[in-house]
Structure formats: C-alpha cells, structure tokens
Amino acid sequence: MVDFGYGLLASSRINLDLFDKGKFDSLAAEEPDVRKCIACGSCTAVCTAGKFTPTSLRAAIEELQNGRDEVAMNMLKGCQLCGKCTMVCPRGINTRHLILSIAKIYSKKK
Amino acid sequence: MIYEGKQKIWSEYQKEIPDDHYFYVRSCIRQSFFPASEAAFLDITRKKLGKDIFETEHHTTCGGIAYHSDAIPQETVMTIIARQFALMAKYGYENYVCSCITSFGLYCETLETWREFPELQKKIAETLWKTCRLDFAKPKYIVHASDLIYHYRNQIAALAKHKLINVHTGEPLRVVEHIGCHYSKMFPSKGVGGAEYPYVLAGMVEACGGTVVDYPERRHCCGFGFRQYFIKANRGYSLSNTYKKFESMEPYHPDFIVTNCPGCPYFMDRWQYVIAEETGKTYGEGSHGIPVLTYEEMMGLVLGYDPWDLGLQTHQVGAEPLLDKMGIQYDPERKYLGAKGKDIGRPACPSCIR
Amino acid sequence: MPANIFPILAAQASPEVIDRIPSSFSHFVIPFVAGITFFLVWIFVGFIRVITQLSHEERVKFWTSLLNPITAGKNIRDLFCDCLFHTKIWQRKPLLGYMHSAIAFGWFMLIVLGHIEVALFVPKHLSYGEGGLFYPIFYRYFVWIRPGHESLRGAFFFFLMDFFLLYVLTGIGLAMFKRFRSIVLGMRHTTKPSLADRVALYSLWMIFPLRLLAESFTADLSGGSFLTMGMNHLLHFLFGDKLYFQPFWWAYSICLGTFFAAMPFSRYMHILTEVLWILFRNAGLKPSHPRKGVAEAEIYACSSCGLCLDACPMNVQKKNLKYSSVYFIRFLRRHNERKIAEIADKCLMCDKCHALCPVSVDAPALRRAQRQTTNDHLPYDYSYLATVPVKLYEPATPRHLERDAGSNSSKVLYFAGCMSHLTPRIIKAVEDIFKKAGIEYVFADREGGICCGRPLLLAGKKEAAAKTMDANKSMIKASGCKTLVLSCPICYKVFKEEYNLVGIRVVHYTQYFKELIEAGKLNVVKSQERIVYHDPCELGRGCNVYEEPRTVLRQVGNLVKAGHEYDESICCGGSLGSLTLSQNDRRKITDAAIKDLTVASPETIVTACPLCLKTFSERSTVPVKDFAEVLTKCVA
Amino acid sequence: MRNNVLIIGGGPAGLEAGANLQRLGYNVLLVEHSNTLGGHLGKWDRLFPGGTPASAALDKLLGSMDGVKCFTDTEIQSINRLGKSYNVILSNGITVLADAVLVATGFDLFQAEKKEEYGYGIYDHVITNADLELYFKTGLDTRINAPRKIGFVHCVGSRDEKSGCRSCSKVCCATAVKQACEMKAAFPDAQIYCFYMDLRMFGRHYEDMYLEAQRDYGIRFIRGRVAEVSENIDGSLSVKAEDTVSSKPLKVSLDLLVLMAGMRPSVSGQRIGSLLGMQNEKDGYFEVLSEITAQQRSSIPGIFLAGAATGPKTIPDTLADARGAATQIDKYLSDIFPKAKDLKQLIKTAW
C-alpha cells in the first residue's frame, strides 16, 4: 500500500436500492401515518430536543425512505416524546407513536 | 437498448467537417502524456491519407487550463484564442483543427460568446491588434482532431492491417468510448452525435469492427476536473470519479477504453494503478488493468503501426493483452527502447497491477 | 358415591338439639362439591402465585400494611364499602348500587346467617366435621324441624333468610332487567360478556330463584318464613300434598357448582380477588409489570361491570369502545398480546375509568406498565442533556439586582413547559399576573427547555424519563428559587409526584394565583361573563386540584356548570396519553367534550392546560381561554 | 337565423362547443384532421381524480352531437374573410361560408425522445404517460414486464426552457399520481417513485388523491428532477436525481420509467393560426383577447378559441371553456353580428 496523501471518498449519494421495503412496510403497518408526511418541517421547527441536538422527524422519515436507516435513527434518538410535533403537524400524524414505532422496528437487527 | 433509437439521434447531430486543408494546433499536456499520439495523427492524415494539415511553431496554449483553474480572466483567454485564429488566417487557412478537447470546448465557447456579444468580439479584436499587431479572424470551420479521424474512418478502415476483432474468438472487441466532457456537453450540436450519445469515437470503433459498450456511467467525467486534480487535497474526488466509472463498466468486461481528450486517458490509465494500490482491485483479466488508448493510438494500431512507435510503453496499464487479442506482433524487448535504440529506462513495476 | 359413607346423622343427633332433625348425605350435593372444590383449589394456587410474583419489597410492604392499624381500619372499611355495599356506585347511580349491593351484600348475609343457623341448630360435632359441610348451603334440605318444635328463634332466622333471599332476588331481577334496558340503571354501554361470563351469569341468575323454589318445596318440613312458606302453600295448593322436591335441590346444586366452576374464567372472580386487590391497593402497591403480581390481583379484581365504558371519552364512537379499560383487562387476562398492545397504546390516559371504578382498578397504570414492556428498552441517546446549560433560565429582573448570591430564594421559578410555548397567550397572561401582583420571578424556560418527562412516562419510557427529570432537577436547584409555579398540568403532575424536590414548593398556577388573591396581592373585579371551567385530566383527576381554579373563577365571572365536572369531566381529546388514536377520533372526542361543556350556554370556556386550550380552540365555536388569561383581564 | 359556425378540431372542446351551438340553433360544421373524433381523450383510459373511464366521457360527448356535421380526415385548405364572414375551403372540396369560426385545435403531447437523457426510444423500459394509458386500455406493452420498481418523471418537456416550454402543463402531476396508483393496483408488490419538482394538486379532490397515493398505495414522492437515465447490464434502468429535501444526489434502479410528457401547442393548430393570421404568445399558444374577461375570443372578429389551444387545460376546464365559447359565439351571432354593417365597424366597435 502506497500512501498517496489522498484516497477514494465514500459516496454521499443516496442509493435507493438499499431501501428496505419490507421494513418500511412493517413500519407503515404499525403506524400508517408515516406515509402521510408532506415534509413541511413543522415538527423539526418546534422540536424540544432539536434545540440541543439534531432531531428531525421529517428528515428521519425521508432518510428511512432513502435506505439510510442508521442516519434516521440518529436523528430521533434525542427525542423526548414531548408531543409538540403532534400539536403542529398539519397532517395530524401521530408523531410520538411513529417515533416509537421507528425505534421499535429499526432497532431490530436483521 | 434500441440501436435504431440511437441512430436516429446520431442522424440529428451531424456536423459539417471539411475534407482537407486544416490549420492544426496541439494540446499542451498530450505532448508529454502521450507524446506519439499527435505525431501519429499527423502521420496518418498527411502520409497515409495525403491531407494538407498545416502546423506552425508560433501557436501557443489556448489558455484553457489557466482559465478553468480561475487563474486568468475570460478576456485574456479570448485574446489568446484570437491570436491562434489570426495565425490560421495569416497562413491562409480557414479550417481549424485542434488536438485538445479543452481547447475545442473553449473555442466553441468563445465563438458563441462573440456571436452573442459582438461588442466583446470588437474589444478582443482591438486588444489583439494592440498586443500582437495581428488582424482578427474567425475560422470558417472548427473541428476537433477526433472529428477529422471520424470523418476519415472509412478510408482508414479500408487501409486497416488489423481489425478491432479478437483474432482468437472472431468476436468484435468490446470498447468503452469515453468522450471528453468539453467536446459536446456544452454545445451538443458541435459534437458528432450530440452530447447524450456521441458518435465520434463510436463511429471509429464500429468502422474498425469493434463494438461499443454502453455502461451506466458512460457520461461521467474521468475525474480530471482541473481544480479537483491540481490541488492535492481534492485529488480524492478525482480518483473517486474514475473509480465510479470503472465500477460501472466492470460487468461489461471491456477489452479497452478509447478516449478523445488529453486528460481522460491519462487519468483513466494512471488511476487504475492508484485504485489497485488502495483497494487491491484491477478491472482487466488476470491482474491486468483495462488498456486506455487515445483514438490516434487505436487507429495507429489498426493501420499497423508498431505499438512502441505509438508510445504504448508510456501507459501505466500494459497494452500487451489487447495487442495479443488483435493479433498484433510486437517485440517485448523493444518496449523500453527509445527512437535510436537507446534504453529509456524502465518503470518500477507495481505488484498490484500488471 | 354410596350413601353409607356418611353416618346416619339423625341417629346421632345430640340430645340438646332436639328441635331439629339433621339428615344424611344426598347425592345432589356432588355438583356443588365439585364446583366449589375446583374453585377453592384454583383460588388458592392463584393466591400463592400472586404472592410469589411480588418483589421482596412489595411483599414486606404488603404484610406490614396488614399489621398497621390505620391501614387495617381502612381495609375493613373498604372491604365493606367497596365489596359489599358498593358505596361508590350508590353515590353515582343509586339503582345500580342497589342492584350490586343486593346481590353482594344479600348473598353475603345469606351465607353468614346460614352459618349462624347451623351453629345454633345443628350439633357442633355434626356441623363441619362429619359431612355437615353442606348444611350452611343446603340447610333447608338437610335439617328438618322436629314436628312440634318450632321455636321463635328458628322463626326469626327463617324470616331473616327469607328477607335476604328476597333482597338478593330483587337484585337479580334488576340485573336481568339491566341486560335488556341498561340505561334505566344509568348505564349507556355495557360489556359484551364472554362465554364463561354467560355461563356464570346465567347460573348466577338461576341460583336464587332455584333456591327459592327448592326451599319452598321443603318449607313445610324444614321451616320457612313469609316467602318460602307462602310459596309452599301455593305449591301445595297447585300440586297437592305430595311434593317431589329432589329435582329442585339438584338444579340448585348444579347451578351453584356451575357458577363456582365457571367463576375463575368469568368476571365473577372479582368477588374474591377484589379483596386481595383492596389490600394491595391500601398497602400502596402499584403494578410494575402488566401481568404479574399486583397486576394479576388487579386484573382479576375487575368485575367487568362496564362502568368504565361510560366513563371512557373514546365512547363517542362505538367502534372505539373496544379500547376501554374493561376490554384491556379482559385481554390481559386472556394473554392476547396483539390486542393488549393495541389497546394499551390507544388510551388517552385521562384516568376517568380509574376514578370511577367501583374498586379503583388502576387501568391507566396497567397500560403504562404494558407500554413499558414494549417501549422502555427502545434505544435513545440523551447524552446531549449534559451539554444543556444548567442555567436555562434568565433573570427577569435587571442585572444589578442579581448582585448577591441566592437572591433568587425569594423569587418564584416559572416553568412554562413545551406545550405552553405553543400557546404564547398563557405565558403572556402568567407573566402579566406576576407583574400585577409584584411577584419577582425567574422564567426557567423562556428560550425553551427540556421536557418534564411526563410524556415519556406516559409512553412507558421510564428510564429515559428519569434522565430528563434529572436534568430539570439540576436546573431547578441551581435557580435557588423555593417555589416552582407551573402553568401546564402535565408538568405539574410529574414535578409534584416524581421529582422529589426537597425544600421547593411545587404549585400549579391556579393554586398560586388563588393564594395571591387571598393574600390581597391581586385585586379582582368580577364580570358578568358566563364562564364554564374544564377540568384538565392531569390537574383534576391527576392531582386532585378541582376547587382552586373554581374559587378564583367564581370571583372573576359567572361560573356555570358543565354536563360533567370534577372527576367526571371529559378529556379534551388532545391528550399526550394516547399514542395511536387518530386525529379523526380525537376530533370526535373534542367535539363531545365541547358539547358537554356548553350545555349551560357559557360565553367562554376556560381551562388551565395548554394542551386542552389548543385542542378546544381548534374546534370550538365558543371562545376558549386560559385560566390566567381570564384572570388577568379582571385584575386591575 | 341558422348562421353557419365552423369548428376546427374534434377533440373534447370542439365536440362540447359543437353540441351546445347545435342546440342553440346554429348550423354547425366540425372539421377534424385525423380519422377519429375525440382527440387525446380517445387515447386515454381513465381520468383523474375519480377514475372516470375516458370512453364514458367521450361517449357522452359524442352522444350529444346530433345534427352536427362532422368531417374527419379533413384539413382546412384555405380560410379567407368574405365580408363579415369567412370563406373556408376544405380538403374534401367543400366550401363553407362561416359566420363564426371556433379554433379548438388542442395540443400535441411533447415528444419525450427530445429529452435525450431519459432515453425514450433508446432504452427498453422507458415509456410515456400516453403509452401507459394505451397499456391500461389494451393490456399490451412489451416494455412493461411485471415491474417491481417503477418511476414516474413529472415535468417532461414542461417547466423546461431548454426543451422550449417554460410553463406548467397543468395535468401531468395529477395524471402521474393517478397512473402511479393504477400501476400499484396492477402490480401490488411494486415500489413506486414519483420524481416531482413541485406537486401541483390544485383541483378539487386532487389533494385527497395525493394523500391516498401516499397512504394507501405507498407511493414515494421525491422532490427532484430526474437528470440522467442509463441502462444497466440486466436491462434495468439506473436513474439519477437529487433528493432536494435531503440535499443529496440519489440513484435508484428501476424496471420501468414513465415520462409524464407535457403539452405543446399543436402543430396542426399552428398551421390554422397562420392561415388566419392569428397571434401566438411566447409560449406558442394562441393569444386571447383578455385572459380574464374574454378568454374564448381571439383578437380577430368572428374567430373564437376553446380548449387547450389557449394553454394547457384539464378535461373539465376544457369542457367549461367550450361551453363558454358557445355562449360567446351565440352572443356574437345573435347580437353583434346582425347589427354590424360591415367588417370595419365590427373591428372598430363591436368586437
């Protein structure tokens, strides 16, 4: 191995082929509201935990659908389930149950 | 893949290429990267085909590298270009052929800019006169050297000593054609076959009996990207780009890659070594890489030039497996001998790639 | 079973009891014996199981509570009031209370009196030891009157027995009637009985009419009073002198046996289990697991009476009745895991079912315990809490007043909470009142804070909740304030119950403002506005704060009544308690609650919870205001 | 009275206007250059948002055409003003003197092969919205072979200045959502992606359809334009876009890519326009006298416009526009036309 002082970079690209449809479908079975998100960002804007640590339900839903489960989980692990997002969600998504369901389904190793 | 669909597009992007009388300008970096390519171009066009290709030692760089690296402003590069064109007119030519894709793109860009902004053209003409005392002129036709070879492809094929066919199996060789980004991505109408499915190299390959590999990342840049390569901290981007291309072409098992740009063959050739060092991965058969040729080298081989006269020993990835497939006789002992039989030295052979 | 296993009792009758002729064994008792034996074994094993499932601390707590005279007194009172008299039902629905107490207390008295009769009229050595086991139950079959020996004391017991039998029968009659027209007894919804429930129910219904018939057939031989004797005469009149009584005693025994055999699988198990639950309850035990130990006693203490169906705010839609506590407990009993999880998550945790339960079965606690099993272990990472500044608050007073350390000790700390930040009018009004009353205060989370932890607890994430509570605790302690005022009942409940803030007084703003008025710091001018007060679940049922807001509101305006008030108030539908209730279902609850609040046509609905405020505001046509908002408007 | 009215174009607009004018007592002549009436509606299977069969809608339109003279396979050869009226020579040799002309020449579907990067006509599994409708009608398309991953590309040839159309084609978003749901119903195991730039769910019930698509059909909407399509060695498509919501480039392999080709001013309509000397706006659609108050009138007296000839419209929009045109023509022929002495007066005051 020669040290060139540079090397191959990890791709930042989303590879949708990595999206686990089965897992997401089971999430949708557990909490169908996950499919209702219109990515308006209200949840992220009011997030109590979001003031201190990067927490975003909107982005997490997006990342799950982009096959980046780990990233999504990291975006929700600081959530305090305070429910502000439920109050502001224009689609009436049961955000707290959704967050719990994501943790439930995506924390299981395959 | 529907071949007829591609043919339809090709038919829509045909540019006019005059048959003869060209003013030729060289590429800055090719002369050191692939020194025999330009010589081969002149030899093929002048000697084999008997064309009038004029060259003068007074021409310079087009300024493209400095321009794309944000080192000089556009007016400067336009004046340099105006001087090149003025030289052409001075020597009585109106057809301009250049060896470099960056130059070609820049010429097209400059001519388009002048067309859109005549006041700028006027200003450049004045600057040209003030600085060089030359009369402003514009070429009637501007082509890339690969356009010209494409134009002569059938004549060359008629003279061919070898075909792009595997002599052992009788199958056509699988060729990846890689077009320099600045050839037609900026102005699709200026390239043979347009930007999506450029035909310039594909046409040559087909004329010589090969078959073109259509892999997903065929449009992707080789990774040169000027700033990405020149600054070491960015070089990983450059490498990763090339890697992406090789990963994408790998399942198609190409026999070689042909390019029409100065930078592309260099990076696609040398980065194969770096990738092999980093990941241990090689893309050719055995632990070989995939040979990368310029179109002049490819046509030179077809016409029966000696591989070492074409400068194939300056490639990182050895061309021997390809030469074997094409049934080309070569003397391994001569590989590293210079023009007068003098040993030019051997590279340290890396263990990771042959 | 051959008859001679039991000695001929009559022959051995002791000379001192000559007015009764005890007779020997009869086969008809077998169904009863089988049923009750099964039942007793079952309940014994169950009891042992429950006790062993308790943790060591719980067991110690339980046994010592039995020895504590205060708890013991409470136990006795509760056992009588809750199990026999059903006072809690009496208070709310007298007819229903009568029905329950008639059956429970009536039957209890029949058993007690039966035993007294046996003790008095049957020789001691016969009574239990040698087959007299059945005497108390089938007294009128086995023990006949020696002709010519009717005494007054016998007649007195005959009367009592007939009286209580009639008492039970009226209860049974009402129960039968309730099956068809429950609304007359004050129940809109009743539970759907399971198969075992039906078997037990029908046998229970049959037991007492059959007992009446059986005793009536033998009343001329074994004695009877106004009821049985009267029936006996009627039977003689109808069927002549020879009455063949065996089939009725058989039927009576079979019904009893069936009832006891079915009891462990039916709702009637509560008759005995609730005793255990009341002892647990009074010992202060709470379920830590949704199935085991305390929970098991609690689950079996549920009589499936269905009073929680009418209490549940979800009952506005019939389809959601299935999520009521009674069914939750039923599925817990059946170990139907899928249904358990679904129902546990649906509940709004308004606690009304718990408040209104005749035996105070704490179903919300069971649901929380259930949620804990699925949610407590879910991954989370609160390491960032360490980076949250302890001094979240900022001084509300100018800097120069802050010079000496500990200057905050005279100030109050105001913690608005997450939700109040979505209802800025509450914050504005609270600050306004503080200023008007000249109270120096520190606003703990003006720039946003950490959640109080209650929502996490409601979701069953106990461990995670403890982390946020720790962070808040440090913040509160660092403030140096000695009084913590909260405008959110959700925060209030958890700060009060879980934080254990030694030396710091935790008050809800309704309480605090009432004190300010009483101390003369706020000058309230009464308006003629008709206002109705909504009890937020977490404040009313949750913390028993009912009167303070009302006292203040009466001084502020014309307080009118809502359809349901105090512990009967209806959840606004916006509760954080439910994890899965859909927006649509919540909306229906909100609408029902608003309808109930506006029965007396108030001009304003007042509540004291940001969540209720926001939920009502979105749906109500009557203006909805916060307690502080209404108050500050009336303070000069 | 029985004035002659000539309708050019036998699509929904022409049919609806024709039926209405006929009922108002005019002598209506409808000319259609193709061999069938119905225009694009005849090629569609179902209509958004409710899924009404297009054939049912078309049958209804055709069913009320009693008395309207229709010439199919007929071109307008020449059209000249004669007094207040128009002298029209048709390709079948008939000459008509029309007192009013309604131009309802509709739109052409954008030729998706022009967006070369999408590879329509080059890759085996790239189709257009029109191809998919034909598939829904006939069940035949060799390019659709039990796809498990399907992509829909919105705005193909719309909002794309490079392909000559800056504006929105209005119907493609709703069509894509409709077709995506239909595909999911046809291939329940498929994962479907819609690549959109902005979702324009402007109409009544459209938002419901969009919600259903997400909730009930599990369709994933990705905000980002597909920029590159290549064919993988197994014949599947490698599609690149940016997920602009998460600001990341994105790649996905698909078994079928459906291009939502937008609307273009019809080429045959342009020819009619030049015969009449009618003005086009920059977008190529005919100019109307007033966008707000006179949408169905051209700047030339007696020449009326209806339907997609004046810009992209949904079917209900088109039909309403056609009915509007019919009343405008009626007003013109019963009120303005008889009173005007000559063309000059018509141009100067009455139009």
Side-chain angles (χ1 to χ4, degrees), chain D residues 315-328:
Chain D
I315 295 281
D317 281 355
T318 298
L319 298 182
D321 200 44
R323 289 189 282 271
T327 57
Q328 291 278 307

